[in-house]
């Protein structure tokens, strides 16, 4: 199952700098492992925002839910999920 996921991050300005750095490092490692596994297929930065647009390829809604809740930055995110289907005009389909 493919999902487009928009993640907007809003880390509190008063968060301890050490906690901030550690959380961001853990987020990067977690996301890169998911990318290597093929579950996090694409990630793009949204220009001018602390946001990304990503595509996930997972087995179920529950798996995506668990992945998103496991993000170290999850407590500081607003997330919008859109299920995707193959487009009939896609030449690669």
């Amino acid at each position: 199952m493919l999902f487009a996921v928009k993640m907007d991050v809003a880390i509190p300005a008063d968060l301890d700098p050490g906690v901030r750095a550690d959380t961001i490092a853990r987020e990067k490692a977690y996301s890169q492992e998911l990318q290597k596994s093929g579950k996090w297929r694409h990630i793009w930065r949204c220009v001018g925002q602390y946001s990304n647009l990503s595509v996930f390829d997972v087995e179920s809604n529950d798996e995506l839910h668990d992945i998103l809740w496991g993000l170290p930055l999850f407590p500081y995110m607003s997330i919008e999920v859109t299920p995707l289907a193959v487009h009939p005009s896609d030449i690669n389909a």
Side-chain angles (χ1 to χ4, degrees):
M1 299 176 73
L2 294 176
F3 295 90
V5 180
K6 173 95 183 317
M7 298 178 228
D8 299 312
V9 182
I11 299 173
D14 61 349
L15 186 65
D16 177 89
V19 172
R20 177 187 173 99
D22 177 66
T23 304
I24 290 171
R26 289 185 297 113
E27 179 84 11
K28 182 176 182 176
Y30 181 71
S31 71
Q32 288 179 344
E33 283 304 312
L34 288 164
Q35 290 172 64
K36 290 174 187 171
S37 76
K39 293 186 183 295
W40 198 324
R41 293 196 32 196
H42 302 281
I43 182 170
W44 291 277
R45 178 178 280 168
C46 298
V47 175
Q49 304 170 36
Y50 194 172
S51 302
N52 74 73
L53 182 59
S54 295
V55 176
F56 287 84
D57 188 358
V58 294
E59 294 296 319
S60 67
N61 295 337
D62 290 332
E63 183 181 16
L64 180 61
H65 178 82
D66 291 343
I67 286 170
L68 297 176
W69 274 70
L71 292 166
L73 286 172
F74 181 81
Y76 312 114
M77 288 183 175
S78 297
I79 298 176
E80 182 180 325
V81 177
T82 304
L84 300 174
V86 175
H87 195 284
S89 297
D90 183 354
I91 62 171
N92 295 312

